[in-house]
Amino acid sequence: MHFNAQRRRIISFLGYGALVGNSPEIFGNNSRSDFPHITGIGPSRQDDLRLADGLHYDVLIRWRDQINATEQFGFNNDFVALLQENAQRGVLWVNHEYVYPLFIGGVKRTKNNIDLERQAVGGSVLRIVKNNARWQFAKNDSINKRIDGSTKIPFTRNTVIASADFAEGTVGNCAGGVTPWGTFLSCEENYQLFYGDQKFKSNKRKKSQYKWERYYPNPPEHYGWVVEIDPRTHTAKKHVALGRFSHESATCVTSGNGHTVVYSGDDKNDQCLYKFVADRTGTLESGILYVADVVNGKWLALDWQKSKILQKHFADQIEVCTYTRHAAKLLGGTPLDRPEDIKINPITGDIFVSLTNNVPKGNLHGQILKITEKKHDYESTEFHSEVFLTGGDSGFSCPDNLIFDRNGNLWFCSDISGKSMGTLPYAKFMNNGLYLVPAHGPQAGTVIQLASAPNDAELTGVCFDAEQTTLFVSVQHPGETSKSLDRLTSHWPNKQDLPASAVVQIHGPLLEAITKA
Ligand code: FEO
Ligand code: CA
Ligand code: CA
């Protein structure tokens, strides 16, 4: 497709048709005729966090930093969310998704090594304060707390799952969300790495990669949930009603009726997209879970009470929620190409979903899908969907984490796996990056690379502060293809040391010019 034609298509996909005429009803005084011209960077194989001119970064916190007298910041930081109390003070939540045993205790599956790994996963509650226009981690604040692989976490409504009404720990914490009542949602994605997996009505248990079940024989059904964390009380709970699968994210929005709606993808080849509509305010403990039939534009209710098919296969709604994938397929949920992060465009209200890729199906570079609920009602059971952006020739591959700034510009990160990076057909994209699709100015609708990650790393957890003068980014899994400690593939962020995942804050005149109110 000719470039200009493609650009026009992208602008219309963004829902910015009106933007071309600077529609005052959409943007008011904010038509951004002063939008900057942005010079991106090219792909890079440099073992560094490279940024476009006009952007800088500082490391906010990194793996093994002490957060209080007894606890350390965990491994492989992912999702970042900020609840800001005022311009100078906030509480940050950071997920710690998975482990690379070589860097922690060692690859031997001893109890000691597994105990160290259990301490390195979960998430961190952190106090941050702003001084001289920079956020800093406040080390000894009493709110600092780890939730990890051994924290006792109850299931909502005292539900018994696989013989217990609580789970030991949270694992695979990938992306997440923030509720309207000021708590964090943390999603358990690749739970099978830790305790294996159990298929519906099968006695066979698939063994895990990390072999934690060797010393802690916890049921796989205790993982794969959305965990809600109240940072004030340091309490957590696992939400049964939102279902169990490789939850990537849990993006909350409030419907016109005041109900909380949560969108979540199941990040696995040929798995589905879901939404949950809570039936009470201030809680996600009850409501209806739907799976997307993308072919027909319908949300199908996973409601045992109302579905003969579900009644035939499942004993009750709890069983439906525990084996959500199975139930979703029975109802006709559409298999998708790894639905990962989900974000809502603040200008148009459309829902954007990363479909990272599906190599066995020949989808090598992924897409970003745009969903428009019927009548823009988040509770609607009908929707329209279309591909917004396709990886490959657009200059990126494997989209994952997304965020919109207040002007409706889309920022997204790529997730080419460590072992694929540098090999065909991914070699030309080089290291993973952070990209911008401006909604304004002559470059609107184009894809501009703003950052390149250190070797093997992925940029995740993109999150703005309230002023949008700081962008927090998790630099996750640098050096994770290292075969031994004397053949490290990355040394970021300390040139001489083991690589370490870290949360950085990006700031600078370019960021401020893009996000300017
Ligand atoms: Fe943890 Fe699907 O990325
Ligand atoms: Ca992810
Ligand atoms: Ca990913």
Side-chain angles (χ1 to χ4, degrees):
M1 189 186 299
H2 185 267
F3 167 77
N4 278 334
Q6 167 137 8
R7 204 187 114 210
R8 270 197 302 278
R9 261 188 73 195
I10 289 171
I11 292 170
S12 90
F13 284 151
L14 269 166
Y16 294 144
L19 172 71
V20 178
N22 282 340
S23 165
E25 62 273 23
I26 292 181
F27 289 102
N29 295 326
N30 188 20
S31 61
R32 297 303 317 275
S33 56
D34 60 340
F35 200 76
H37 177 84
I38 303 164
T39 306
I41 59 170
S44 166
R45 287 293 276 167
Q46 217 172 301
D47 183 31
D48 204 353
L49 177 57
R50 289 191 54 223
L51 298 173
D53 283 349
L55 298 175
H56 315 280
Y57 79 91
D58 304 299
V59 172
L60 182 81
I61 189 163
R62 73 188 76 186
W63 171 45
R64 293 186 295 192
D65 280 353
Q66 210 68 35
I67 66 162
N68 56 32
T70 57
E71 296 175 311
Q72 293 181 342
F73 189 66
F75 197 75
N76 267 1
N77 40 223
D78 197 316
F79 177 67
V80 176
L82 173 63
L83 289 169
Q84 208 169 314
E85 291 151 23
N86 57 44
Q88 272 84 40
R89 204 173 138 84
V91 181
L92 206 66
W93 168 264
V94 182
N95 278 353
H96 301 295
E97 187 181 14
Y98 64 100
V99 291
Y100 191 55
L102 178 70
F103 291 172
I104 301 181
V107 294
K108 280 194 181 150
R109 297 296 75 200
T110 63
K111 181 167 181 299
N112 186 54
N113 285 348
I114 286 169
D115 285 343
L116 290 172
E117 292 168 13
R118 277 158 56 99
Q119 286 169 22
V121 300
S124 294
V125 179
L126 307 168
R127 164 71 64 207
I128 59 168
V129 292
K130 205 173 197 179
N131 284 319
N132 298 326
R134 296 282 181 278
W135 288 101
Q136 290 172 336
F137 165 55
K139 185 175 165 184
N140 291 316
D141 193 282
S142 61
I143 209 162
N144 298 340
K145 180 72 185 161
R146 290 296 320 284
I147 305 277
D148 68 15
S150 61
T151 308
K152 187 175 168 179
I153 305 178
F155 292 108
T156 46
R157 306 175 91 185
N158 303 316
T159 307
V160 173
I161 305 286
S163 306
D165 62 2
F166 70 93
E168 189 183 58
T170 179
V171 296
N173 305 74
C174 186
V178 179
T179 65
W181 46 93
T183 55
F184 299 113
L185 299 176
S186 177
C187 294
E188 299 185 325
E189 188 200 14
N190 286 312
Y191 59 88
Q192 76 284 351
L193 295 173
F194 304 83
Y195 294 105
D197 209 355
Q198 187 84 48
K199 275 201 169 165
F200 182 50
K201 288 189 174 164
S202 156
N203 292 327
K204 277 200 187 144
R205 176 166 170 162
K206 198 172 162 221
K207 286 204 177 98
S208 74
Q209 185 174 319
Y210 299 135
K211 308 278 187 288
W212 287 12
E213 68 272 24
R214 193 177 282 179
Y215 306 100
Y216 301 96
N218 294 340
E221 295 92 334
H222 283 188
Y223 309 95
W225 303 99
V226 175
V227 186
E228 182 175 356
I229 301 100
D230 186 334
R232 297 159 206 86
T233 57
H234 295 154
T235 54
K237 53 188 170 185
K238 295 201 181 193
H239 276 290
V240 176
L242 274 77
R244 175 178 163 270
F245 46 88
S246 286
H247 274 284
E248 173 76 23
S249 59
T251 303
C252 295
V253 65
T254 304
S255 74
N257 287 337
H259 291 143
T260 305
V261 178
V262 187
Y263 292 89
S264 193
D266 183 356
D267 180 9
K268 194 166 188 245
N269 283 345
D270 306 318
Q271 292 302 340
C272 301
L273 174 71
Y274 298 84
K275 81 169 175 184
F276 175 78
V277 181
D279 60 10
R280 290 183 291 148
T281 49
T283 173
L284 301 176
E285 295 196 3
S286 61
I288 303 285
L289 181 65
Y290 297 87
V291 62
D293 170 355
V294 176
V295 177
N296 296 302
K298 291 202 179 340
W299 291 106
L300 311 171
L302 291 155
D303 185 346
W304 186 87
Q305 294 278 1
K306 293 189 177 152
S307 165
K308 291 245 172 348
I309 299 172
L310 295 180
Q311 287 168 10
K312 187 174 160 204
H313 290 85
F314 296 90
D316 52 25
Q317 184 66 23
I318 294 169
E319 204 170 72
V320 169
C321 288
T322 310
Y323 298 98
T324 308
R325 275 179 185 161
H326 193 81
K329 294 291 170 59
L330 286 171
L331 289 190
T334 306
L336 296 171
D337 295 348
R338 296 186 53 206
E340 292 215 68
D341 202 10
I342 300 171
K343 286 288 169 7
I344 294 174
N345 182 320
I347 309 292
T348 66
D350 293 325
I351 301 127
F352 286 71
V353 183
S354 279
L355 302 175
T356 296
N357 66 5
N358 190 336
V359 175
K361 287 256 168 83
N363 181 1
L364 304 178
H365 300 300
Q367 286 83 22
I368 297 176
L369 189 72
K370 187 183 92 170
I371 289 182
T372 308
E373 297 280 21
K374 190 175 179 184
K375 297 184 180 165
H376 295 279
D377 173 7
Y378 294 112
E379 292 190 47
S380 176
T381 54
E382 292 176 49
F383 64 88
H384 172 79
S385 68
E386 57 192 290
V387 171
F388 160 61
L389 202 54
T390 299
D393 293 340
S394 312
F396 71 93
S397 181
C398 303
D400 185 347
N401 287 262
L402 310 169
I403 194 161
F404 284 94
D405 64 37
R406 60 183 151 213
N407 296 324
N409 303 301
L410 174 63
W411 305 62
F412 69 94
C413 307
S414 59
D415 178 16
I416 302 168
S417 72
K419 66 178 192 306
S420 301
M421 231 182 282
T423 67
L424 290 174
Y426 299 101
K428 68 177 176 182
F429 305 102
M430 302 195 188
N431 289 3
N432 279 314
L434 166 70
Y435 304 83
L436 178 76
V437 182
H440 303 260
Q443 292 169 293
T446 61
V447 177
I448 305 167
Q449 183 168 0
L450 293 182
S452 174
N455 289 347
D456 303 347
E458 173 192 358
L459 304 177
T460 72
V462 276
C463 165
F464 288 106
D465 66 356
E467 295 75 19
Q468 301 203 350
T469 53
T470 300
L471 177 68
F472 297 99
V473 176
S474 273
V475 179
Q476 198 197 31
H477 56 75
E480 77 164 356
T481 64
S482 303
K483 295 278 184 287
S484 67
L485 296 179
D486 53 11
R487 282 189 300 155
L488 296 169
T489 55
S490 172
H491 293 277
W492 191 88
N494 305 317
K495 289 202 164 33
Q496 310 302 326
D497 205 353
L498 263 184
S501 291
V503 176
V504 303
Q505 52 181 324
I506 293 177
H507 37 79
L510 178 59
L511 176 70
E512 293 184 25
I514 295 168
T515 64
K516 194 172 122 186

